[in-house]
Every structure is written in structure tokens, then in C-alpha cells.
Amino acid sequence: MEKREALYSGKAKSVYRTDDPDRFVLLFRDDTSAFDGEKKEQLARKGMVNNRFNAFIMEKLEAAGIPTHFEKVLSPVESLVKKLDMFPVECVVRNYAAGSLCRRLGVEEGQALQPPTFELFLKNDELHDPMINESLAETFGWAGADDLAQMKALTYKVNEVLKKLFDDAGMLLVDYKLEFGRFNGQIVLGDEFSPDGCRIWDKETRKKMDKDRFRQGLGEVIEAYEEVGRRLGIQFD
Ligand code: TMP
Ligand code: ASP
């Protein structure tokens, strides 16, 4: 496999073409952004930590029968993935109330949500990722009804696998965001799973161990990411 030119650069990752038209290299950078890119900083080690974290989680999900784009780790900050045709939607499941749900509905942070909620957002920074629904996604052609049903089922299946994984390691999986794409006609999990795109709290103290530490200026951001990883048994360089 040969890494070729950069195809695009997102807020935290860059994507490179390879000599295989169906494979991309994902480069996890130290860049950290929040509030749709309004707050930006470089956090040393984040690229390496998120690359290792993502590989560990994607392998767990594959083992549980969830198709993912992840193929293998190539370097401390790079992984090989399948080239997906991405849907411009973000699927969010919440087990506890936090973030935009509390702001939107005035509910108290930390309230357990039973059953867990499922929300759809449009991936569009200029519009600040507005909340959408199945009807809007279908009408505007962002995703079809069958695609959405599959994405929703997979997002909930991820919840079953990861809730237990984090719980067994003394943590609560509060919420998370997933992105999907199509590969050879199959709906496949893409993007990444790392503390950048989910909320994780210590089960006893409810200490925040995810990107909310960066959003809220709580400090020790990467230290917290590494602590989450260590509890799950991930080896960092
Ligand atoms: P929210 O509370 O801001 O709606 O976010 C819910 C979860 O999804 C939280 O873990 C952060 C994650 N998320 C992202 O990582 N990127 C996004 O663009 C959105 C909308 C959510
Ligand atoms: N990841 C998004 C951003 O960088 C949303 C967020 O985390 O606040 O803007």
C-alpha cells in the first residue's frame, strides 16, 4: 500500500488517497476543535491517542458483527480505512442527558434516559450541524428511508456493545456520534470513535473524561483520554 496525495483535511483528521482506489489513509492530527471550529488548539499526543483508541473500538465493534471502515493501524497517527460514500448525517445516541439536549429541552445534566434517545443532525459547520429528522433526510436526499433504518439499528447495536465495555471499566458512556457510509452497497460505520466524539464519565464521581474537558476549559484533556484508554486496556506509545 502506497500513500498518495491528501484528499481533504477536516478539523482533526486528514484523508489521503492510496494506490488502492478503495482504500484511504486517515491521519489523526493533534488539532482539536469545538463549537464548529470556533475554538481550536493543538493538544500534544492527541493524534496518537485517538488513532489507537479508534482502532481498539473499531476492532471491538467488528468482532460484535458491526461492519466498519477500519482495516489496520499503519503508524502511531495513521490508519488504513475503506473508502466509503458518506451520508452527510450524524447519528447521536444518548444514555444520559448532557450537552445540546439539556440546552434544547431544559432537562438536567446527568438524568438517565430510558430508552436511550436517537437523534439525527446534518453535517454542516456553517449551519452549526442543525438537528434534522428522517423525513427531512429523505426529502433532501441526504439518506433514504432504508439507509436511515439501518443506520439507526447499527447505532443502537453499537450502544449495546460499548455501554457494557465502558461500564465494565468503571465508566458511563453518556452519548456519542456516529457517521456512516456505503461500501459495495453495504452500510458501514465510518469516521472515528474517540473521546472527541462521545461523552464518557467516571461511574462513581461522574468526572468528565472526554472532549467536554476541552469545550469547558477543564484542563487535563489528553490525560483524561489516556486514562479512559488505559482503563479499557489500550496500550499507548
Ligand atoms: P451534543 O450534545 O452537542 O448534541 O453532542 C452529542 C454527542 O455527539 C457528544 O458526545 C458530541 C458528539 N457530537 C460530535 O462529536 N460532533 C458533532 O458534530 C455533534 C453534533 C455531536
Ligand atoms: N466536533 C465539532 C467541532 O469541532 C463539534 C464539537 O465538538 O463541539 O466543532
Side-chain angles (χ1 to χ4, degrees):
M1 199 284 306
E2 194 184 300
K3 185 174 159 191
R4 298 250 167 103
E5 79 278 12
L7 198 63
Y8 61 85
S9 218
K11 294 191 291 284
K13 299 189 292 301
S14 302
V15 182
Y16 294 80
R17 259 194 248 278
T18 69
D19 53 351
D20 179 344
D22 288 329
R23 299 289 182 280
F24 281 160
V25 170
L26 278 191
L27 169 73
F28 290 76
R29 308 195 313 270
D30 288 344
D31 299 308
T32 312
S33 92
F35 313 119
D36 307 311
E38 263 174 50
K39 176 171 173 161
K40 283 189 225 165
E41 238 172 82
Q42 289 251 320
L43 297 178
R45 294 173 63 79
K46 194 190 73 141
M48 178 277 293
V49 168
N50 278 4
N51 185 41
R52 299 274 183 226
F53 199 105
N54 176 63
F56 177 87
I57 297 286
M58 291 282 170
E59 279 170 357
K60 291 281 180 205
L61 296 177
E62 282 281 353
I66 295 155
T68 81
H69 70 157
F70 178 77
E71 299 258 295
K72 62 177 177 181
V73 165
L74 296 173
S75 81
V77 292
E78 292 168 308
S79 287
L80 187 68
V81 298
K82 295 183 189 77
K83 177 190 172 188
L84 307 186
D85 188 10
M86 297 301 291
F87 297 101
V89 300
E90 306 187 332
C91 300
V92 170
V93 159
R94 300 177 198 266
N95 295 304
Y96 294 87
S100 75
L101 183 80
C102 296
R103 292 195 295 276
R104 217 180 318 125
L105 302 181
V107 296
E108 203 180 321
E109 184 179 83
Q111 181 186 326
L113 302 171
Q114 196 51 249
T117 59
F118 176 83
E119 292 159 40
L120 278 177
F121 297 88
L122 180 67
K123 195 174 165 71
N124 186 319
D125 276 347
E126 281 106 86
L127 298 178
H128 305 291
D129 292 346
M131 191 178 193
I132 56 168
N133 60 30
E134 276 95 336
S135 165
L136 291 165
E138 230 188 306
T139 295
F140 289 104
W142 298 318
D146 285 355
D147 303 323
L148 290 163
Q150 282 188 61
M151 286 190 252
K152 186 173 178 176
L154 286 169
T155 303
Y156 274 126
K157 193 166 174 186
V158 166
N159 202 34
E160 290 318 304
V161 178
L162 296 188
K163 238 180 9 184
K164 181 168 186 332
L165 189 83
F166 284 101
D167 187 75
D168 288 347
M171 294 171 283
L172 297 175
L173 177 60
V174 172
D175 58 29
Y176 57 92
K177 181 263 300 176
L178 302 179
E179 296 180 28
F180 294 88
R182 218 188 257 108
F183 186 77
N184 291 335
Q186 192 188 20
I187 306 279
V188 172
L189 177 62
D191 192 47
E192 70 180 275
F193 193 102
S194 76
D196 269 3
C198 66
R199 289 192 173 94
I200 301 157
W201 296 345
D202 178 87
K203 205 154 76 175
E204 302 304 325
T205 65
R206 299 216 165 184
K207 176 185 155 186
K208 295 180 163 102
M209 304 178 79
D210 53 70
K211 203 166 84 175
D212 269 350
R213 300 201 69 81
F214 174 71
R215 293 190 190 95
Q216 299 173 7
L218 300 175
E220 300 190 326
V221 180
I222 301 310
E223 289 83 352
Y225 287 25
E226 291 192 75
E227 167 70 14
V228 175
R230 266 195 303 274
R231 289 195 198 179
L232 294 173
I234 302 172
Q235 302 270 346
F236 295 112
D237 302 317

mmCIF file of all heavy atoms in Angstrom, residues 202-230:
data_model
loop_
_atom_site.group_PDB
_atom_site.id
_atom_site.type_symbol
_atom_site.label_atom_id
_atom_site.label_comp_id
_atom_site.label_asym_id
_atom_site.label_seq_id
_atom_site.Cartn_x
_atom_site.Cartn_y
_atom_site.Cartn_z
ATOM 1 N N ASP A 202 -16.701 9.141 34.650
ATOM 2 C CA ASP A 202 -16.376 8.136 35.655
ATOM 3 C C ASP A 202 -17.684 7.718 36.326
ATOM 4 O O ASP A 202 -18.522 8.565 36.650
ATOM 5 C CB ASP A 202 -15.400 8.708 36.690
ATOM 6 C CG ASP A 202 -15.086 7.687 37.767
ATOM 7 O OD1 ASP A 202 -14.157 6.898 37.554
ATOM 8 O OD2 ASP A 202 -15.798 7.665 38.796
ATOM 9 N N LYS A 203 -17.847 6.414 36.521
ATOM 10 C CA LYS A 203 -19.113 5.878 37.029
ATOM 11 C C LYS A 203 -19.408 6.370 38.448
ATOM 12 O O LYS A 203 -20.556 6.675 38.775
ATOM 13 C CB LYS A 203 -19.045 4.344 37.017
ATOM 14 C CG LYS A 203 -20.383 3.678 36.940
ATOM 15 C CD LYS A 203 -20.330 2.292 36.306
ATOM 16 C CE LYS A 203 -19.772 1.222 37.201
ATOM 17 N NZ LYS A 203 -19.856 -0.121 36.572
ATOM 18 N N GLU A 204 -18.380 6.472 39.288
ATOM 19 C CA GLU A 204 -18.596 6.863 40.684
ATOM 20 C C GLU A 204 -18.666 8.379 40.839
ATOM 21 O O GLU A 204 -19.611 8.908 41.412
ATOM 22 C CB GLU A 204 -17.458 6.330 41.574
ATOM 23 C CG GLU A 204 -17.300 4.811 41.526
ATOM 24 C CD GLU A 204 -18.583 4.073 41.896
ATOM 25 O OE1 GLU A 204 -19.333 4.555 42.765
ATOM 26 O OE2 GLU A 204 -18.840 3.009 41.285
ATOM 27 N N THR A 205 -17.653 9.080 40.324
ATOM 28 C CA THR A 205 -17.539 10.524 40.578
ATOM 29 C C THR A 205 -18.204 11.370 39.491
ATOM 30 O O THR A 205 -18.401 12.561 39.669
ATOM 31 C CB THR A 205 -16.061 10.944 40.632
ATOM 32 O OG1 THR A 205 -15.497 10.730 39.326
ATOM 33 C CG2 THR A 205 -15.283 10.100 41.640
ATOM 34 N N ARG A 206 -18.521 10.747 38.362
ATOM 35 C CA ARG A 206 -19.068 11.431 37.173
ATOM 36 C C ARG A 206 -18.109 12.489 36.617
ATOM 37 O O ARG A 206 -18.522 13.448 35.943
ATOM 38 C CB ARG A 206 -20.452 12.020 37.467
ATOM 39 C CG ARG A 206 -21.447 10.926 37.841
ATOM 40 C CD ARG A 206 -22.826 11.214 37.311
ATOM 41 N NE ARG A 206 -23.653 10.008 37.382
ATOM 42 C CZ ARG A 206 -24.885 9.916 36.918
ATOM 43 N NH1 ARG A 206 -25.456 10.943 36.355
ATOM 44 N NH2 ARG A 206 -25.553 8.788 36.986
ATOM 45 N N LYS A 207 -16.831 12.317 36.921
ATOM 46 C CA LYS A 207 -15.818 13.199 36.329
ATOM 47 C C LYS A 207 -15.867 13.072 34.811
ATOM 48 O O LYS A 207 -15.951 11.962 34.268
ATOM 49 C CB LYS A 207 -14.430 12.779 36.847
ATOM 50 C CG LYS A 207 -13.283 13.564 36.234
ATOM 51 C CD LYS A 207 -11.935 13.019 36.693
ATOM 52 C CE LYS A 207 -10.861 13.355 35.678
ATOM 53 N NZ LYS A 207 -9.578 12.736 35.984
ATOM 54 N N LYS A 208 -15.815 14.194 34.098
ATOM 55 C CA LYS A 208 -15.846 14.201 32.636
ATOM 56 C C LYS A 208 -14.482 13.778 32.099
ATOM 57 O O LYS A 208 -13.456 14.320 32.519
ATOM 58 C CB LYS A 208 -16.211 15.591 32.120
ATOM 59 C CG LYS A 208 -17.629 15.998 32.499
ATOM 60 C CD LYS A 208 -17.971 17.381 31.975
ATOM 61 C CE LYS A 208 -19.458 17.578 31.984
ATOM 62 N NZ LYS A 208 -20.110 18.310 32.938
ATOM 63 N N MET A 209 -14.473 12.822 31.152
ATOM 64 C CA MET A 209 -13.214 12.264 30.657
ATOM 65 C C MET A 209 -13.130 12.358 29.132
ATOM 66 O O MET A 209 -12.449 11.563 28.497
ATOM 67 C CB MET A 209 -13.093 10.800 31.123
ATOM 68 C CG MET A 209 -13.211 10.661 32.638
ATOM 69 S SD MET A 209 -13.130 8.954 33.197
ATOM 70 C CE MET A 209 -11.362 8.678 33.132
ATOM 71 N N ASP A 210 -13.835 13.315 28.538
ATOM 72 C CA ASP A 210 -13.961 13.407 27.082
ATOM 73 C C ASP A 210 -13.730 14.846 26.626
ATOM 74 O O ASP A 210 -13.233 15.663 27.408
ATOM 75 C CB ASP A 210 -15.378 12.959 26.693
ATOM 76 C CG ASP A 210 -16.391 13.755 27.504
ATOM 77 O OD1 ASP A 210 -16.528 14.962 27.258
ATOM 78 O OD2 ASP A 210 -17.010 13.188 28.441
ATOM 79 N N LYS A 211 -14.144 15.162 25.401
ATOM 80 C CA LYS A 211 -13.858 16.490 24.839
ATOM 81 C C LYS A 211 -14.570 17.628 25.560
ATOM 82 O O LYS A 211 -14.220 18.796 25.364
ATOM 83 C CB LYS A 211 -14.152 16.536 23.333
ATOM 84 C CG LYS A 211 -13.376 17.657 22.638
ATOM 85 C CD LYS A 211 -13.365 17.548 21.138
ATOM 86 C CE LYS A 211 -14.584 18.144 20.522
ATOM 87 N NZ LYS A 211 -14.498 18.133 19.052
ATOM 88 N N ASP A 212 -15.528 17.331 26.419
ATOM 89 C CA ASP A 212 -16.115 18.403 27.235
ATOM 90 C C ASP A 212 -15.041 19.071 28.095
ATOM 91 O O ASP A 212 -15.175 20.259 28.435
ATOM 92 C CB ASP A 212 -17.254 17.876 28.117
ATOM 93 C CG ASP A 212 -18.614 17.979 27.423
ATOM 94 O OD1 ASP A 212 -18.689 18.634 26.352
ATOM 95 O OD2 ASP A 212 -19.589 17.404 27.935
ATOM 96 N N ARG A 213 -13.961 18.356 28.439
ATOM 97 C CA ARG A 213 -12.864 18.984 29.199
ATOM 98 C C ARG A 213 -12.257 20.123 28.394
ATOM 99 O O ARG A 213 -11.865 21.145 28.946
ATOM 100 C CB ARG A 213 -11.774 17.958 29.559
ATOM 101 C CG ARG A 213 -12.247 16.797 30.417
ATOM 102 C CD ARG A 213 -11.088 16.130 31.133
ATOM 103 N NE ARG A 213 -10.540 16.999 32.159
ATOM 104 C CZ ARG A 213 -11.065 17.155 33.367
ATOM 105 N NH1 ARG A 213 -12.141 16.481 33.725
ATOM 106 N NH2 ARG A 213 -10.501 17.985 34.219
ATOM 107 N N PHE A 214 -12.180 19.938 27.067
ATOM 108 C CA PHE A 214 -11.675 20.993 26.179
ATOM 109 C C PHE A 214 -12.737 22.070 25.974
ATOM 110 O O PHE A 214 -12.469 23.261 26.145
ATOM 111 C CB PHE A 214 -11.266 20.371 24.835
ATOM 112 C CG PHE A 214 -10.865 21.363 23.786
ATOM 113 C CD1 PHE A 214 -9.665 22.059 23.881
ATOM 114 C CD2 PHE A 214 -11.691 21.614 22.692
ATOM 115 C CE1 PHE A 214 -9.289 22.982 22.908
ATOM 116 C CE2 PHE A 214 -11.322 22.529 21.721
ATOM 117 C CZ PHE A 214 -10.127 23.215 21.825
ATOM 118 N N ARG A 215 -13.963 21.648 25.663
ATOM 119 C CA ARG A 215 -15.043 22.620 25.433
ATOM 120 C C ARG A 215 -15.218 23.533 26.628
ATOM 121 O O ARG A 215 -15.420 24.733 26.489
ATOM 122 C CB ARG A 215 -16.379 21.893 25.161
ATOM 123 C CG ARG A 215 -16.440 21.118 23.868
ATOM 124 C CD ARG A 215 -17.876 20.645 23.580
ATOM 125 N NE ARG A 215 -17.910 19.698 22.473
ATOM 126 C CZ ARG A 215 -17.898 18.384 22.622
ATOM 127 N NH1 ARG A 215 -17.902 17.841 23.833
ATOM 128 N NH2 ARG A 215 -17.921 17.582 21.569
ATOM 129 N N GLN A 216 -15.163 22.957 27.809
ATOM 130 C CA GLN A 216 -15.463 23.724 29.028
ATOM 131 C C GLN A 216 -14.219 24.255 29.737
ATOM 132 O O GLN A 216 -14.324 24.799 30.843
ATOM 133 C CB GLN A 216 -16.290 22.835 29.984
ATOM 134 C CG GLN A 216 -17.613 22.395 29.369
ATOM 135 C CD GLN A 216 -18.382 21.389 30.216
ATOM 136 O OE1 GLN A 216 -18.000 21.086 31.341
ATOM 137 N NE2 GLN A 216 -19.473 20.866 29.670
ATOM 138 N N GLY A 217 -13.038 24.068 29.104
ATOM 139 C CA GLY A 217 -11.786 24.585 29.679
ATOM 140 C C GLY A 217 -11.435 23.951 31.022
ATOM 141 O O GLY A 217 -10.932 24.617 31.919
ATOM 142 N N LEU A 218 -11.699 22.659 31.171
ATOM 143 C CA LEU A 218 -11.457 21.984 32.450
ATOM 144 C C LEU A 218 -10.012 21.514 32.608
ATOM 145 O O LEU A 218 -9.606 21.123 33.704
ATOM 146 C CB LEU A 218 -12.399 20.768 32.590
ATOM 147 C CG LEU A 218 -13.903 21.074 32.550
ATOM 148 C CD1 LEU A 218 -14.719 19.788 32.581
ATOM 149 C CD2 LEU A 218 -14.294 21.971 33.721
ATOM 150 N N GLY A 219 -9.232 21.544 31.511
ATOM 151 C CA GLY A 219 -7.825 21.120 31.577
ATOM 152 C C GLY A 219 -7.663 19.611 31.557
ATOM 153 O O GLY A 219 -8.644 18.866 31.604
ATOM 154 N N GLU A 220 -6.378 19.186 31.510
ATOM 155 C CA GLU A 220 -6.028 17.748 31.510
ATOM 156 C C GLU A 220 -6.885 16.951 30.538
ATOM 157 O O GLU A 220 -7.467 15.914 30.891
ATOM 158 C CB GLU A 220 -6.132 17.186 32.922
ATOM 159 C CG GLU A 220 -5.183 17.906 33.860
ATOM 160 C CD GLU A 220 -5.046 17.258 35.230
ATOM 161 O OE1 GLU A 220 -6.039 16.703 35.726
ATOM 162 O OE2 GLU A 220 -3.947 17.340 35.775
ATOM 163 N N VAL A 221 -6.944 17.453 29.299
ATOM 164 C CA VAL A 221 -7.791 16.833 28.284
ATOM 165 C C VAL A 221 -7.219 15.481 27.853
ATOM 166 O O VAL A 221 -7.889 14.445 27.988
ATOM 167 C CB VAL A 221 -7.949 17.767 27.060
ATOM 168 C CG1 VAL A 221 -8.844 17.122 26.006
ATOM 169 C CG2 VAL A 221 -8.510 19.120 27.486
ATOM 170 N N ILE A 222 -5.979 15.504 27.363
ATOM 171 C CA ILE A 222 -5.408 14.261 26.838
ATOM 172 C C ILE A 222 -5.096 13.276 27.957
ATOM 173 O O ILE A 222 -5.201 12.061 27.785
ATOM 174 C CB ILE A 222 -4.172 14.562 25.958
ATOM 175 C CG1 ILE A 222 -4.585 15.471 24.786
ATOM 176 C CG2 ILE A 222 -3.549 13.286 25.409
ATOM 177 C CD1 ILE A 222 -5.818 15.018 23.993
ATOM 178 N N GLU A 223 -4.774 13.818 29.139
ATOM 179 C CA GLU A 223 -4.577 12.942 30.304
ATOM 180 C C GLU A 223 -5.851 12.124 30.549
ATOM 181 O O GLU A 223 -5.795 10.932 30.857
ATOM 182 C CB GLU A 223 -4.250 13.770 31.552
ATOM 183 C CG GLU A 223 -2.871 14.412 31.566
ATOM 184 C CD GLU A 223 -2.796 15.725 30.799
ATOM 185 O OE1 GLU A 223 -3.777 16.093 30.118
ATOM 186 O OE2 GLU A 223 -1.739 16.382 30.865
ATOM 187 N N ALA A 224 -7.004 12.780 30.410
ATOM 188 C CA ALA A 224 -8.283 12.084 30.624
ATOM 189 C C ALA A 224 -8.523 11.047 29.519
ATOM 190 O O ALA A 224 -8.959 9.928 29.797
ATOM 191 C CB ALA A 224 -9.425 13.087 30.668
ATOM 192 N N TYR A 225 -8.237 11.415 28.254
ATOM 193 C CA TYR A 225 -8.413 10.461 27.148
ATOM 194 C C TYR A 225 -7.558 9.210 27.404
ATOM 195 O O TYR A 225 -8.000 8.080 27.177
ATOM 196 C CB TYR A 225 -7.961 11.066 25.801
ATOM 197 C CG TYR A 225 -8.851 12.116 25.168
ATOM 198 C CD1 TYR A 225 -9.714 12.900 25.912
ATOM 199 C CD2 TYR A 225 -8.799 12.333 23.791
ATOM 200 C CE1 TYR A 225 -10.498 13.875 25.303
ATOM 201 C CE2 TYR A 225 -9.579 13.298 23.171
ATOM 202 C CZ TYR A 225 -10.420 14.071 23.932
ATOM 203 O OH TYR A 225 -11.189 15.024 23.309
ATOM 204 N N GLU A 226 -6.309 9.451 27.852
ATOM 205 C CA GLU A 226 -5.400 8.322 28.078
ATOM 206 C C GLU A 226 -5.867 7.464 29.252
ATOM 207 O O GLU A 226 -5.725 6.245 29.237
ATOM 208 C CB GLU A 226 -3.966 8.817 28.295
ATOM 209 C CG GLU A 226 -3.374 9.394 27.016
ATOM 210 C CD GLU A 226 -1.873 9.632 27.108
ATOM 211 O OE1 GLU A 226 -1.112 8.655 27.052
ATOM 212 O OE2 GLU A 226 -1.476 10.804 27.234
ATOM 213 N N GLU A 227 -6.442 8.112 30.242
ATOM 214 C CA GLU A 227 -6.974 7.376 31.396
ATOM 215 C C GLU A 227 -8.139 6.472 30.955
ATOM 216 O O GLU A 227 -8.224 5.306 31.349
ATOM 217 C CB GLU A 227 -7.426 8.385 32.475
ATOM 218 C CG GLU A 227 -8.268 7.831 33.601
ATOM 219 C CD GLU A 227 -7.497 6.922 34.560
ATOM 220 O OE1 GLU A 227 -6.258 6.946 34.499
ATOM 221 O OE2 GLU A 227 -8.157 6.185 35.324
ATOM 222 N N VAL A 228 -9.016 7.002 30.106
ATOM 223 C CA VAL A 228 -10.116 6.184 29.571
ATOM 224 C C VAL A 228 -9.524 4.980 28.834
ATOM 225 O O VAL A 228 -9.934 3.833 29.054
ATOM 226 C CB VAL A 228 -11.009 6.997 28.600
ATOM 227 C CG1 VAL A 228 -12.065 6.102 27.961
ATOM 228 C CG2 VAL A 228 -11.667 8.168 29.314
ATOM 229 N N GLY A 229 -8.546 5.249 27.978
ATOM 230 C CA GLY A 229 -7.916 4.183 27.194
ATOM 231 C C GLY A 229 -7.256 3.141 28.091
ATOM 232 O O GLY A 229 -7.445 1.941 27.890
ATOM 233 N N ARG A 230 -6.516 3.610 29.085
ATOM 234 C CA ARG A 230 -5.827 2.678 29.985
ATOM 235 C C ARG A 230 -6.828 1.781 30.706
ATOM 236 O O ARG A 230 -6.623 0.580 30.836
ATOM 237 C CB ARG A 230 -4.981 3.444 31.007
ATOM 238 C CG ARG A 230 -3.525 3.625 30.559
ATOM 239 C CD ARG A 230 -2.652 4.044 31.727
ATOM 240 N NE ARG A 230 -3.124 5.265 32.357
ATOM 241 C CZ ARG A 230 -2.807 6.499 31.948
ATOM 242 N NH1 ARG A 230 -2.012 6.661 30.904
ATOM 243 N NH2 ARG A 230 -3.272 7.559 32.563
#
